[in-house]
Amino acid sequence: MGSAMKVSALAHPVALLRLAGIIEGISFLLLLFVAMPLKYLFDYPAAVRLVGSVHGLLFVGFGMALFRAHFERSWPVLRSAAVFGASLIPFGFLLIDRMLRDEIASEAEIDAPPAAT
């Protein structure tokens, strides 16, 4: 790589969306499978208030990352809508992650210099 500056992975809109999706998806699972049972089974509503607030903030961040990826990568509306829709489903972030990981990997193959012979 030499003296070339290495660009942060988070500067890449798809990589940022992937990270935001994983974090938001985990917060969604915590809300559904930890905080909600604490509220309804153990009468502890503060868990939903706390985890729900954090999840809401992370969801807004995910939406902003999706908005950025949509416009910077010129994604079709249906693709962005599918990513958004998957984020509303428990474990949907795993589908998003796989799709985005594959896109980043295929892009890296295209950008890679040809192998020396």
Side-chain angles (χ1 to χ4, degrees):
M1 198 166 266
S3 63
M5 267 183 34
K6 199 173 190 184
V7 177
S8 168
L10 297 183
H12 191 285
V14 178
L16 178 63
L17 178 60
R18 183 177 176 217
L19 178 64
I22 292 169
I23 295 171
E24 186 275 332
I26 291 170
S27 76
F28 188 33
L29 295 179
L30 287 173
L31 179 62
L32 293 177
F33 298 115
V34 176
M36 296 293 279
L38 284 173
K39 178 179 180 176
Y40 292 108
L41 298 177
F42 300 105
D43 195 30
Y44 190 67
V48 169
R49 199 172 310 118
L50 175 66
V51 177
S53 296
V54 171
H55 168 68
L57 182 65
L58 293 170
F59 188 74
V60 169
F62 172 80
M64 291 169 60
L66 177 57
F67 187 81
R68 178 180 173 213
H70 172 80
F71 285 103
E72 286 189 24
R73 308 297 293 179
S74 300
W75 282 356
V77 172
L78 285 178
R79 180 169 191 195
S80 296
V83 170
F84 181 78
S87 75
L88 302 176
I89 302 168
F91 300 100
F93 73 96
L94 297 173
L95 297 171
I96 296 168
D97 181 59
R98 183 175 185 181
M99 179 188 74
L100 298 177
R101 184 184 64 222
D102 291 347
E103 179 175 329
I104 292 167
S106 68
E107 193 174 290
E109 289 174 6
I110 293 169
D111 292 343
T117 53

